[in-house]
Amino acid sequence: QKEVEQDPGPLSVPEGAIVSLNCTYSNSAFQYFMWYRQYSRKGPELLMYTYSSGNKEDGRFTAQVDKSSKYISLFIRDSQPSDSATYLCAMRRVGGGNKLTFGTGTQLKVEL
Amino acid sequence: DTGVSQNPRHKITKRGQNVTFRCDPISEHNRLYWYRQTLGQGPEFLTYFQNEAQLEKSRLLSDRFSAERPKGSFSTLEIQRTEQGDSAMYLCASSLNWTGGNYGYTFGSGTRLTVV
């Protein structure tokens, strides 16, 4: 069983929809949680970072962490065709050096 | 210096050949990482450097793989005697220390390796 599970999709939504992307994890030592966006043939770019449980909002993006359920989410409001990409969750342990453990990524397509 | 630069962008090589990739991190970043990403998967950690010191290596990094960061600036990743299973995107990333507000890496666009 992988430490981080993420539904690979693909997920297709109409423009303007609210998108919900999720990851579950098994290692309770994960304390830092990130979401990356990766366009085709590009490296991942950091979208959101959260520490421990709680919510964080940045423009149209909201990241949510529920440590009791070992579940993290990324919500995208008013989705745009330019949001079409693969979204990767990533996590880091306290004292785990600098290694990030990624999910497999969810492929999102926002259609006109 | 606008980001992490990786060269070459693409590399096709015959099985058994050696290949070397280069990464130039963001100049003020003292930490440099190598990850490997195969199709439909997330990046997997290979190794990381703080300045010129290699501080952690994954068990994924077999004896055929070696990474260096000789002066604490650019880094190279060499794969000897390539195998078809080495075909992947090799991603380099850099960061400052895990203090302050920015806990994320900046990734380069990767080097796509195809072993035929």
Side-chain angles (χ1 to χ4, degrees), chain B residues 7-71:
Chain B
N7 288 287
R9 291 295 310 275
H10 305 278
K11 179 71 177 179
I12 300 174
T13 190
K14 292 183 178 179
R15 187 163 51 95
Q17 297 293 306
N18 299 345
V19 293
T20 299
F21 311 139
R22 177 179 169 123
C23 172
D24 288 271
I26 292 173
S27 57
E28 60 266 31
H29 285 180
N30 60 342
R31 292 189 170 177
L32 185 148
Y33 316 83
W34 286 99
Y35 280 74
R36 181 172 69 187
Q37 187 176 25
T38 53
L39 197 63
Q41 300 297 315
E44 293 177 298
F45 173 81
L46 293 178
T47 188
Y48 97 92
F49 294 83
Q50 179 160 318
N51 301 313
E52 65 276 10
Q54 189 173 20
L55 296 188
E56 188 174 348
K57 291 195 294 186
S58 164
R59 64 181 183 278
L60 292 175
L61 213 66
S62 76
D63 291 344
R64 297 185 298 105
F65 288 71
S66 62
E68 292 183 342
R69 194 182 183 197
K71 296 182 180 179

Short mmCIF file of all heavy atoms in Angstrom, two decimals, chain B residues 7-71:
data_model
loop_
_atom_site.label_atom_id
_atom_site.label_comp_id
_atom_site.label_asym_id
_atom_site.label_seq_id
_atom_site.Cartn_x
_atom_site.Cartn_y
_atom_site.Cartn_z
N ASN B 7 19.20 20.50 -18.30
CA ASN B 7 19.65 20.17 -19.64
C ASN B 7 20.20 18.75 -19.69
O ASN B 7 20.81 18.28 -18.72
CB ASN B 7 20.77 21.13 -20.08
CG ASN B 7 20.21 22.50 -20.37
OD1 ASN B 7 19.55 22.72 -21.37
ND2 ASN B 7 20.48 23.43 -19.47
N PRO B 8 19.97 18.04 -20.81
CA PRO B 8 19.10 18.43 -21.92
C PRO B 8 17.64 18.28 -21.56
O PRO B 8 17.31 17.73 -20.51
CB PRO B 8 19.50 17.45 -23.02
CG PRO B 8 19.86 16.21 -22.26
CD PRO B 8 20.53 16.69 -20.98
N ARG B 9 16.74 18.73 -22.40
CA ARG B 9 15.30 18.54 -22.16
C ARG B 9 14.88 17.12 -22.50
O ARG B 9 14.01 16.56 -21.85
CB ARG B 9 14.48 19.54 -22.99
CG ARG B 9 14.61 20.97 -22.54
CD ARG B 9 14.04 21.19 -21.13
NE ARG B 9 12.70 20.65 -20.98
CZ ARG B 9 11.58 21.29 -21.32
NH1 ARG B 9 11.64 22.49 -21.84
NH2 ARG B 9 10.40 20.73 -21.13
N HIS B 10 15.51 16.60 -23.53
CA HIS B 10 15.20 15.23 -23.96
C HIS B 10 16.50 14.50 -24.25
O HIS B 10 17.46 15.11 -24.73
CB HIS B 10 14.35 15.22 -25.23
CG HIS B 10 13.09 16.00 -25.13
ND1 HIS B 10 11.95 15.52 -24.55
CD2 HIS B 10 12.80 17.27 -25.51
CE1 HIS B 10 11.00 16.43 -24.61
NE2 HIS B 10 11.49 17.51 -25.17
N LYS B 11 16.51 13.19 -23.93
CA LYS B 11 17.67 12.37 -24.23
C LYS B 11 17.19 10.98 -24.63
O LYS B 11 16.43 10.35 -23.89
CB LYS B 11 18.58 12.26 -23.00
CG LYS B 11 19.82 11.41 -23.20
CD LYS B 11 20.81 12.08 -24.10
CE LYS B 11 22.08 11.25 -24.23
NZ LYS B 11 23.06 11.89 -25.15
N ILE B 12 17.60 10.56 -25.82
CA ILE B 12 17.32 9.20 -26.26
C ILE B 12 18.66 8.48 -26.30
O ILE B 12 19.62 8.97 -26.90
CB ILE B 12 16.65 9.17 -27.64
CG1 ILE B 12 15.32 9.92 -27.59
CG2 ILE B 12 16.43 7.74 -28.10
CD1 ILE B 12 14.64 10.08 -28.95
N THR B 13 18.73 7.31 -25.68
CA THR B 13 19.99 6.60 -25.62
C THR B 13 19.75 5.11 -25.79
O THR B 13 18.64 4.62 -25.55
CB THR B 13 20.71 6.86 -24.28
OG1 THR B 13 22.04 6.34 -24.35
CG2 THR B 13 20.00 6.16 -23.11
N LYS B 14 20.77 4.42 -26.22
CA LYS B 14 20.65 2.97 -26.37
C LYS B 14 20.95 2.29 -25.04
O LYS B 14 21.77 2.77 -24.24
CB LYS B 14 21.62 2.48 -27.44
CG LYS B 14 21.27 2.92 -28.84
CD LYS B 14 22.23 2.33 -29.86
CE LYS B 14 21.82 2.74 -31.27
NZ LYS B 14 22.76 2.20 -32.29
N ARG B 15 20.29 1.21 -24.83
CA ARG B 15 20.50 0.42 -23.60
C ARG B 15 21.99 0.12 -23.44
O ARG B 15 22.66 -0.27 -24.38
CB ARG B 15 19.69 -0.87 -23.70
CG ARG B 15 19.66 -1.72 -22.45
CD ARG B 15 18.51 -2.73 -22.53
NE ARG B 15 18.53 -3.47 -23.78
CZ ARG B 15 19.10 -4.66 -23.93
NH1 ARG B 15 19.72 -5.23 -22.93
NH2 ARG B 15 19.04 -5.27 -25.09
N GLY B 16 22.47 0.33 -22.23
CA GLY B 16 23.87 0.06 -21.95
C GLY B 16 24.77 1.28 -21.99
O GLY B 16 25.91 1.23 -21.49
N GLN B 17 24.26 2.36 -22.58
CA GLN B 17 25.06 3.58 -22.65
C GLN B 17 24.96 4.36 -21.34
O GLN B 17 24.03 4.18 -20.55
CB GLN B 17 24.57 4.47 -23.80
CG GLN B 17 24.72 3.83 -25.17
CD GLN B 17 26.19 3.66 -25.54
OE1 GLN B 17 26.95 4.61 -25.52
NE2 GLN B 17 26.57 2.43 -25.86
N ASN B 18 25.92 5.25 -21.12
CA ASN B 18 25.88 6.14 -19.96
C ASN B 18 25.29 7.48 -20.37
O ASN B 18 25.50 7.94 -21.49
CB ASN B 18 27.30 6.37 -19.41
CG ASN B 18 27.96 5.10 -18.95
OD1 ASN B 18 27.32 4.07 -18.76
ND2 ASN B 18 29.28 5.16 -18.76
N VAL B 19 24.55 8.10 -19.45
CA VAL B 19 24.00 9.42 -19.71
C VAL B 19 24.24 10.31 -18.50
O VAL B 19 24.34 9.83 -17.37
CB VAL B 19 22.48 9.39 -20.01
CG1 VAL B 19 22.20 8.67 -21.32
CG2 VAL B 19 21.71 8.75 -18.87
N THR B 20 24.34 11.60 -18.76
CA THR B 20 24.53 12.58 -17.68
C THR B 20 23.59 13.75 -17.90
O THR B 20 23.48 14.26 -19.02
CB THR B 20 25.97 13.09 -17.65
OG1 THR B 20 26.85 11.99 -17.42
CG2 THR B 20 26.16 14.10 -16.51
N PHE B 21 22.92 14.15 -16.83
CA PHE B 21 22.02 15.29 -16.88
C PHE B 21 22.57 16.39 -15.97
O PHE B 21 23.20 16.11 -14.95
CB PHE B 21 20.62 14.92 -16.37
CG PHE B 21 20.04 13.67 -16.95
CD1 PHE B 21 19.35 12.77 -16.16
CD2 PHE B 21 20.18 13.39 -18.31
CE1 PHE B 21 18.82 11.62 -16.69
CE2 PHE B 21 19.64 12.24 -18.85
CZ PHE B 21 18.98 11.35 -18.03
N ARG B 22 22.24 17.62 -16.34
CA ARG B 22 22.71 18.75 -15.54
C ARG B 22 21.55 19.55 -15.00
O ARG B 22 20.52 19.71 -15.67
CB ARG B 22 23.60 19.65 -16.40
CG ARG B 22 24.07 20.90 -15.65
CD ARG B 22 24.95 21.77 -16.48
NE ARG B 22 25.18 23.07 -15.86
CZ ARG B 22 26.38 23.57 -15.57
NH1 ARG B 22 27.48 22.88 -15.87
NH2 ARG B 22 26.50 24.76 -14.99
N CYS B 23 21.70 20.08 -13.80
CA CYS B 23 20.70 20.95 -13.19
C CYS B 23 21.38 22.19 -12.64
O CYS B 23 22.37 22.10 -11.88
CB CYS B 23 19.99 20.21 -12.06
SG CYS B 23 18.88 21.27 -11.09
N ASP B 24 20.84 23.34 -13.01
CA ASP B 24 21.29 24.62 -12.43
C ASP B 24 20.16 25.16 -11.56
O ASP B 24 19.12 25.55 -12.08
CB ASP B 24 21.65 25.62 -13.53
CG ASP B 24 22.93 25.24 -14.24
OD1 ASP B 24 24.00 25.68 -13.76
OD2 ASP B 24 22.88 24.50 -15.25
N PRO B 25 20.34 25.18 -10.24
CA PRO B 25 19.27 25.63 -9.35
C PRO B 25 19.16 27.15 -9.32
O PRO B 25 19.99 27.86 -9.91
CB PRO B 25 19.73 25.09 -8.00
CG PRO B 25 21.23 25.16 -8.08
CD PRO B 25 21.56 24.83 -9.52
N ILE B 26 18.17 27.64 -8.61
CA ILE B 26 18.07 29.07 -8.32
C ILE B 26 19.28 29.44 -7.47
O ILE B 26 19.61 28.73 -6.51
CB ILE B 26 16.74 29.38 -7.61
CG1 ILE B 26 15.59 29.15 -8.59
CG2 ILE B 26 16.72 30.81 -7.08
CD1 ILE B 26 14.21 29.24 -8.00
N SER B 27 19.93 30.52 -7.82
CA SER B 27 21.28 30.78 -7.29
C SER B 27 21.32 30.88 -5.76
O SER B 27 22.29 30.43 -5.14
CB SER B 27 21.86 32.04 -7.92
OG SER B 27 21.01 33.14 -7.70
N GLU B 28 20.30 31.44 -5.14
CA GLU B 28 20.37 31.60 -3.68
C GLU B 28 19.89 30.36 -2.90
O GLU B 28 19.93 30.34 -1.68
CB GLU B 28 19.58 32.83 -3.22
CG GLU B 28 18.11 32.79 -3.55
CD GLU B 28 17.80 33.48 -4.86
OE1 GLU B 28 18.65 33.47 -5.77
OE2 GLU B 28 16.67 34.02 -4.98
N HIS B 29 19.43 29.34 -3.63
CA HIS B 29 18.95 28.12 -2.97
C HIS B 29 20.12 27.21 -2.63
O HIS B 29 20.91 26.85 -3.50
CB HIS B 29 17.96 27.38 -3.87
CG HIS B 29 16.62 28.03 -3.95
ND1 HIS B 29 15.60 27.51 -4.71
CD2 HIS B 29 16.15 29.15 -3.38
CE1 HIS B 29 14.52 28.27 -4.58
NE2 HIS B 29 14.84 29.28 -3.78
N ASN B 30 20.20 26.79 -1.36
CA ASN B 30 21.31 25.93 -0.98
C ASN B 30 20.95 24.44 -1.03
O ASN B 30 21.82 23.59 -0.93
CB ASN B 30 21.82 26.30 0.42
CG ASN B 30 20.75 26.16 1.48
OD1 ASN B 30 19.56 26.11 1.19
ND2 ASN B 30 21.18 26.09 2.73
N ARG B 31 19.67 24.13 -1.22
CA ARG B 31 19.26 22.73 -1.27
C ARG B 31 18.84 22.36 -2.70
O ARG B 31 18.15 23.14 -3.37
CB ARG B 31 18.14 22.46 -0.28
CG ARG B 31 18.66 22.59 1.14
CD ARG B 31 17.71 22.16 2.19
NE ARG B 31 18.40 22.11 3.48
CZ ARG B 31 17.83 21.82 4.63
NH1 ARG B 31 16.54 21.55 4.66
NH2 ARG B 31 18.52 21.79 5.75
N LEU B 32 19.26 21.19 -3.12
CA LEU B 32 18.99 20.72 -4.48
C LEU B 32 18.55 19.27 -4.40
O LEU B 32 19.13 18.47 -3.66
CB LEU B 32 20.25 20.87 -5.35
CG LEU B 32 20.12 20.54 -6.83
CD1 LEU B 32 21.05 21.42 -7.67
CD2 LEU B 32 20.37 19.07 -7.12
N TYR B 33 17.52 18.93 -5.18
CA TYR B 33 16.90 17.61 -5.11
C TYR B 33 16.79 17.02 -6.51
O TYR B 33 16.59 17.74 -7.49
CB TYR B 33 15.48 17.70 -4.53
CG TYR B 33 15.35 18.60 -3.33
CD1 TYR B 33 15.20 19.97 -3.48
CD2 TYR B 33 15.36 18.08 -2.04
CE1 TYR B 33 15.08 20.81 -2.39
CE2 TYR B 33 15.24 18.91 -0.94
CZ TYR B 33 15.09 20.27 -1.12
OH TYR B 33 14.97 21.09 -0.02
N TRP B 34 16.86 15.71 -6.56
CA TRP B 34 16.56 14.97 -7.79
C TRP B 34 15.38 14.04 -7.51
O TRP B 34 15.36 13.33 -6.49
CB TRP B 34 17.75 14.15 -8.25
CG TRP B 34 18.86 14.96 -8.86
CD1 TRP B 34 20.02 15.38 -8.26
CD2 TRP B 34 18.94 15.42 -10.21
NE1 TRP B 34 20.79 16.09 -9.14
CE2 TRP B 34 20.15 16.12 -10.36
CE3 TRP B 34 18.10 15.31 -11.34
CZ2 TRP B 34 20.55 16.70 -11.56
CZ3 TRP B 34 18.49 15.89 -12.52
CH2 TRP B 34 19.71 16.58 -12.63
N TYR B 35 14.43 14.05 -8.44
CA TYR B 35 13.27 13.17 -8.39
C TYR B 35 13.14 12.49 -9.75
O TYR B 35 13.62 12.99 -10.77
CB TYR B 35 11.98 13.96 -8.11
CG TYR B 35 11.76 14.31 -6.66
CD1 TYR B 35 12.50 15.30 -6.04
CD2 TYR B 35 10.80 13.64 -5.91
CE1 TYR B 35 12.30 15.61 -4.72
CE2 TYR B 35 10.58 13.95 -4.57
CZ TYR B 35 11.34 14.93 -3.98
OH TYR B 35 11.14 15.25 -2.66
N ARG B 36 12.47 11.36 -9.75
CA ARG B 36 12.17 10.66 -11.01
C ARG B 36 10.65 10.50 -11.10
O ARG B 36 10.00 10.16 -10.11
CB ARG B 36 12.84 9.28 -11.03
CG ARG B 36 12.60 8.50 -12.29
CD ARG B 36 13.44 7.24 -12.32
NE ARG B 36 13.01 6.26 -11.34
CZ ARG B 36 13.67 5.15 -11.09
NH1 ARG B 36 14.79 4.88 -11.73
NH2 ARG B 36 13.21 4.31 -10.19
N GLN B 37 10.13 10.74 -12.29
CA GLN B 37 8.68 10.63 -12.51
C GLN B 37 8.42 9.77 -13.74
O GLN B 37 8.87 10.10 -14.83
CB GLN B 37 8.04 12.01 -12.67
CG GLN B 37 6.52 11.98 -12.74
CD GLN B 37 5.92 13.37 -12.81
OE1 GLN B 37 6.56 14.32 -13.26
NE2 GLN B 37 4.67 13.50 -12.37
N THR B 38 7.67 8.70 -13.56
CA THR B 38 7.25 7.88 -14.70
C THR B 38 5.81 8.23 -15.04
O THR B 38 5.08 8.84 -14.24
CB THR B 38 7.39 6.38 -14.39
OG1 THR B 38 6.69 6.09 -13.17
CG2 THR B 38 8.86 6.00 -14.22
N LEU B 39 5.38 7.80 -16.21
CA LEU B 39 4.06 8.18 -16.74
C LEU B 39 2.95 7.75 -15.79
O LEU B 39 2.91 6.60 -15.36
CB LEU B 39 3.88 7.54 -18.11
CG LEU B 39 2.77 8.12 -18.98
CD1 LEU B 39 3.07 9.58 -19.32
CD2 LEU B 39 2.61 7.29 -20.26
N GLY B 40 2.10 8.70 -15.45
CA GLY B 40 0.95 8.39 -14.60
C GLY B 40 1.28 8.27 -13.12
O GLY B 40 0.42 7.88 -12.33
N GLN B 41 2.50 8.62 -12.76
CA GLN B 41 2.92 8.55 -11.36
C GLN B 41 3.39 9.91 -10.87
O GLN B 41 3.77 10.77 -11.67
CB GLN B 41 4.06 7.53 -11.18
CG GLN B 41 3.69 6.12 -11.59
CD GLN B 41 2.59 5.54 -10.74
OE1 GLN B 41 2.58 5.65 -9.52
NE2 GLN B 41 1.63 4.91 -11.40
N GLY B 42 3.40 10.09 -9.56
CA GLY B 42 3.98 11.29 -8.99
C GLY B 42 5.49 11.17 -8.92
O GLY B 42 6.05 10.08 -9.06
N PRO B 43 6.16 12.29 -8.73
CA PRO B 43 7.62 12.24 -8.60
C PRO B 43 8.06 11.39 -7.40
O PRO B 43 7.42 11.41 -6.36
CB PRO B 43 8.00 13.71 -8.39
CG PRO B 43 6.88 14.49 -8.98
CD PRO B 43 5.66 13.68 -8.72
N GLU B 44 9.15 10.64 -7.59
CA GLU B 44 9.73 9.84 -6.51
C GLU B 44 11.11 10.39 -6.17
O GLU B 44 11.93 10.62 -7.07
CB GLU B 44 9.86 8.38 -6.95
CG GLU B 44 8.54 7.68 -7.16
CD GLU B 44 8.76 6.25 -7.66
OE1 GLU B 44 9.33 6.09 -8.75
OE2 GLU B 44 8.40 5.32 -6.94
N PHE B 45 11.35 10.55 -4.90
CA PHE B 45 12.60 11.12 -4.41
C PHE B 45 13.78 10.22 -4.75
O PHE B 45 13.72 8.99 -4.58
CB PHE B 45 12.50 11.29 -2.89
CG PHE B 45 13.77 11.70 -2.22
CD1 PHE B 45 14.17 13.03 -2.22
CD2 PHE B 45 14.56 10.77 -1.57
CE1 PHE B 45 15.34 13.42 -1.59
CE2 PHE B 45 15.73 11.15 -0.93
CZ PHE B 45 16.12 12.48 -0.94
N LEU B 46 14.85 10.83 -5.23
CA LEU B 46 16.10 10.09 -5.48
C LEU B 46 17.19 10.49 -4.49
O LEU B 46 17.78 9.65 -3.82
CB LEU B 46 16.60 10.35 -6.90
CG LEU B 46 15.74 9.78 -8.04
CD1 LEU B 46 16.34 10.16 -9.39
CD2 LEU B 46 15.60 8.27 -7.93
N THR B 47 17.46 11.80 -4.41
CA THR B 47 18.55 12.25 -3.55
C THR B 47 18.46 13.75 -3.33
O THR B 47 17.76 14.44 -4.08
CB THR B 47 19.92 11.90 -4.17
OG1 THR B 47 20.97 12.18 -3.22
CG2 THR B 47 20.20 12.68 -5.44
N TYR B 48 19.15 14.26 -2.29
CA TYR B 48 19.22 15.70 -2.15
C TYR B 48 20.55 16.15 -1.56
O TYR B 48 21.24 15.38 -0.88
CB TYR B 48 18.02 16.27 -1.38
CG TYR B 48 18.21 16.52 0.10
CD1 TYR B 48 18.65 17.76 0.57
CD2 TYR B 48 17.89 15.54 1.03
CE1 TYR B 48 18.77 18.01 1.92
CE2 TYR B 48 18.02 15.78 2.39
CZ TYR B 48 18.46 17.01 2.83
OH TYR B 48 18.58 17.25 4.17
N PHE B 49 20.90 17.39 -1.87
CA PHE B 49 22.13 18.01 -1.44
C PHE B 49 21.83 19.26 -0.63
O PHE B 49 20.90 20.01 -0.96
CB PHE B 49 22.98 18.46 -2.65
CG PHE B 49 23.50 17.32 -3.49
CD1 PHE B 49 22.71 16.73 -4.45
CD2 PHE B 49 24.79 16.87 -3.31
CE1 PHE B 49 23.19 15.69 -5.23
CE2 PHE B 49 25.29 15.83 -4.09
CZ PHE B 49 24.49 15.25 -5.05
N GLN B 50 22.63 19.47 0.39
CA GLN B 50 22.68 20.79 1.01
C GLN B 50 24.07 21.32 0.72
O GLN B 50 25.06 20.74 1.17
CB GLN B 50 22.43 20.73 2.51
CG GLN B 50 22.52 22.11 3.14
CD GLN B 50 21.84 22.19 4.48
OE1 GLN B 50 20.75 21.65 4.64
NE2 GLN B 50 22.47 22.85 5.43
N ASN B 51 24.11 22.40 -0.02
CA ASN B 51 25.37 22.89 -0.57
C ASN B 51 26.02 21.74 -1.35
O ASN B 51 25.38 21.15 -2.20
CB ASN B 51 26.25 23.46 0.53
CG ASN B 51 25.56 24.61 1.25
OD1 ASN B 51 25.01 25.51 0.60
ND2 ASN B 51 25.56 24.58 2.56
N GLU B 52 27.28 21.37 -1.07
CA GLU B 52 27.90 20.30 -1.85
C GLU B 52 27.73 18.93 -1.21
O GLU B 52 28.12 17.91 -1.80
CB GLU B 52 29.38 20.60 -2.06
CG GLU B 52 30.22 20.60 -0.78
CD GLU B 52 30.18 21.93 -0.07
OE1 GLU B 52 29.36 22.81 -0.44
OE2 GLU B 52 30.97 22.10 0.88
N ALA B 53 27.15 18.86 -0.03
CA ALA B 53 27.02 17.59 0.68
C ALA B 53 25.74 16.85 0.27
O ALA B 53 24.65 17.40 0.34
CB ALA B 53 27.01 17.84 2.19
N GLN B 54 25.91 15.58 -0.10
CA GLN B 54 24.77 14.73 -0.42
C GLN B 54 24.26 14.14 0.88
O GLN B 54 24.93 13.30 1.48
CB GLN B 54 25.18 13.63 -1.41
CG GLN B 54 24.01 12.84 -1.96
CD GLN B 54 24.44 11.88 -3.05
OE1 GLN B 54 25.61 11.52 -3.17
NE2 GLN B 54 23.50 11.44 -3.87
N LEU B 55 23.07 14.56 1.32
CA LEU B 55 22.61 14.22 2.66
C LEU B 55 21.67 13.02 2.72
O LEU B 55 21.52 12.43 3.78
CB LEU B 55 21.94 15.44 3.31
CG LEU B 55 22.84 16.64 3.57
CD1 LEU B 55 22.11 17.70 4.38
CD2 LEU B 55 24.13 16.22 4.27
N GLU B 56 21.04 12.69 1.63
CA GLU B 56 20.12 11.56 1.66
C GLU B 56 20.01 10.96 0.28
O GLU B 56 19.99 11.70 -0.72
CB GLU B 56 18.73 11.99 2.15
CG GLU B 56 17.79 10.82 2.40
CD GLU B 56 16.46 11.23 3.02
OE1 GLU B 56 16.33 12.38 3.48
OE2 GLU B 56 15.54 10.38 3.03
N LYS B 57 19.97 9.64 0.22
CA LYS B 57 19.79 8.92 -1.03
C LYS B 57 18.69 7.89 -0.85
O LYS B 57 18.67 7.16 0.14
CB LYS B 57 21.08 8.20 -1.44
CG LYS B 57 22.19 9.12 -1.86
CD LYS B 57 23.29 8.38 -2.60
CE LYS B 57 24.02 7.39 -1.72
NZ LYS B 57 25.17 6.79 -2.42
N SER B 58 17.82 7.79 -1.84
CA SER B 58 16.77 6.79 -1.82
C SER B 58 17.34 5.43 -2.22
O SER B 58 18.33 5.34 -2.95
CB SER B 58 15.67 7.20 -2.80
OG SER B 58 14.82 6.11 -3.09
N ARG B 59 16.64 4.38 -1.77
CA ARG B 59 17.05 3.05 -2.22
C ARG B 59 16.79 2.88 -3.72
O ARG B 59 17.27 1.94 -4.35
CB ARG B 59 16.32 1.97 -1.43
CG ARG B 59 14.83 1.95 -1.63
CD ARG B 59 14.17 0.86 -0.79
NE ARG B 59 12.74 0.79 -1.04
CZ ARG B 59 11.85 1.59 -0.48
NH1 ARG B 59 12.24 2.51 0.37
NH2 ARG B 59 10.56 1.45 -0.74
N LEU B 60 16.00 3.81 -4.30
CA LEU B 60 15.79 3.79 -5.75
C LEU B 60 17.08 4.09 -6.50
O LEU B 60 17.23 3.75 -7.66
CB LEU B 60 14.73 4.81 -6.16
CG LEU B 60 13.30 4.58 -5.71
CD1 LEU B 60 12.44 5.77 -6.13
CD2 LEU B 60 12.74 3.30 -6.33
N LEU B 61 17.99 4.76 -5.82
CA LEU B 61 19.24 5.18 -6.45
C LEU B 61 20.23 4.02 -6.39
O LEU B 61 21.01 3.91 -5.45
CB LEU B 61 19.78 6.41 -5.72
CG LEU B 61 20.54 7.44 -6.56
CD1 LEU B 61 19.61 8.10 -7.56
CD2 LEU B 61 21.17 8.48 -5.67
N SER B 62 20.16 3.16 -7.43
CA SER B 62 21.04 2.00 -7.44
C SER B 62 22.49 2.42 -7.68
O SER B 62 22.78 3.60 -7.91
CB SER B 62 20.59 1.02 -8.54
OG SER B 62 20.98 1.52 -9.81
N ASP B 63 23.36 1.42 -7.67
CA ASP B 63 24.78 1.70 -7.87
C ASP B 63 25.06 2.30 -9.24
O ASP B 63 26.12 2.89 -9.46
CB ASP B 63 25.59 0.40 -7.71
CG ASP B 63 25.60 -0.08 -6.28
OD1 ASP B 63 25.24 0.74 -5.39
OD2 ASP B 63 25.93 -1.25 -6.04
N ARG B 64 24.15 2.15 -10.16
CA ARG B 64 24.37 2.71 -11.50
C ARG B 64 24.13 4.22 -11.55
O ARG B 64 24.47 4.87 -12.51
CB ARG B 64 23.45 2.02 -12.51
CG ARG B 64 23.71 0.52 -12.68
CD ARG B 64 22.84 -0.07 -13.77
NE ARG B 64 21.41 0.04 -13.46
CZ ARG B 64 20.59 0.91 -14.05
NH1 ARG B 64 21.04 1.74 -14.98
NH2 ARG B 64 19.31 0.92 -13.73
N PHE B 65 23.52 4.73 -10.49
CA PHE B 65 23.20 6.16 -10.44
C PHE B 65 24.20 6.88 -9.54
O PHE B 65 24.51 6.39 -8.44
CB PHE B 65 21.80 6.38 -9.86
CG PHE B 65 20.66 5.98 -10.76
CD1 PHE B 65 20.41 4.64 -11.02
CD2 PHE B 65 19.85 6.94 -11.34
CE1 PHE B 65 19.36 4.27 -11.85
CE2 PHE B 65 18.79 6.58 -12.16
CZ PHE B 65 18.54 5.24 -12.40
N SER B 66 24.66 8.02 -9.98
CA SER B 66 25.49 8.84 -9.11
C SER B 66 25.16 10.30 -9.35
O SER B 66 24.92 10.72 -10.47
CB SER B 66 26.98 8.58 -9.35
OG SER B 66 27.33 8.92 -10.67
N ALA B 67 25.13 11.05 -8.27
CA ALA B 67 24.84 12.48 -8.35
C ALA B 67 25.94 13.24 -7.65
O ALA B 67 26.49 12.78 -6.64
CB ALA B 67 23.48 12.79 -7.72
N GLU B 68 26.23 14.41 -8.20
CA GLU B 68 27.27 15.26 -7.62
C GLU B 68 26.81 16.71 -7.63
O GLU B 68 26.03 17.12 -8.48
CB GLU B 68 28.57 15.16 -8.43
CG GLU B 68 29.26 13.83 -8.36
CD GLU B 68 30.57 13.84 -9.13
OE1 GLU B 68 30.76 14.73 -9.97
OE2 GLU B 68 31.38 12.94 -8.89
N ARG B 69 27.37 17.45 -6.71
CA ARG B 69 27.16 18.90 -6.69
C ARG B 69 28.48 19.51 -6.21
O ARG B 69 28.59 19.96 -5.08
CB ARG B 69 26.01 19.28 -5.77
CG ARG B 69 25.53 20.71 -5.98
CD ARG B 69 24.43 21.08 -5.02
NE ARG B 69 23.95 22.44 -5.29
CZ ARG B 69 23.23 23.14 -4.44
NH1 ARG B 69 22.90 22.64 -3.25
NH2 ARG B 69 22.84 24.36 -4.75
N PRO B 70 29.47 19.51 -7.07
CA PRO B 70 30.85 19.74 -6.64
C PRO B 70 31.13 21.08 -5.97
O PRO B 70 31.93 21.15 -5.06
CB PRO B 70 31.66 19.59 -7.94
CG PRO B 70 30.67 19.74 -9.04
CD PRO B 70 29.37 19.27 -8.51
N LYS B 71 30.52 22.13 -6.37
CA LYS B 71 30.81 23.43 -5.76
C LYS B 71 29.58 24.02 -5.10
O LYS B 71 29.54 25.21 -4.82
CB LYS B 71 31.38 24.39 -6.81
CG LYS B 71 32.72 23.93 -7.38
CD LYS B 71 33.26 24.94 -8.38
CE LYS B 71 34.60 24.45 -8.92
NZ LYS B 71 35.16 25.38 -9.93
#
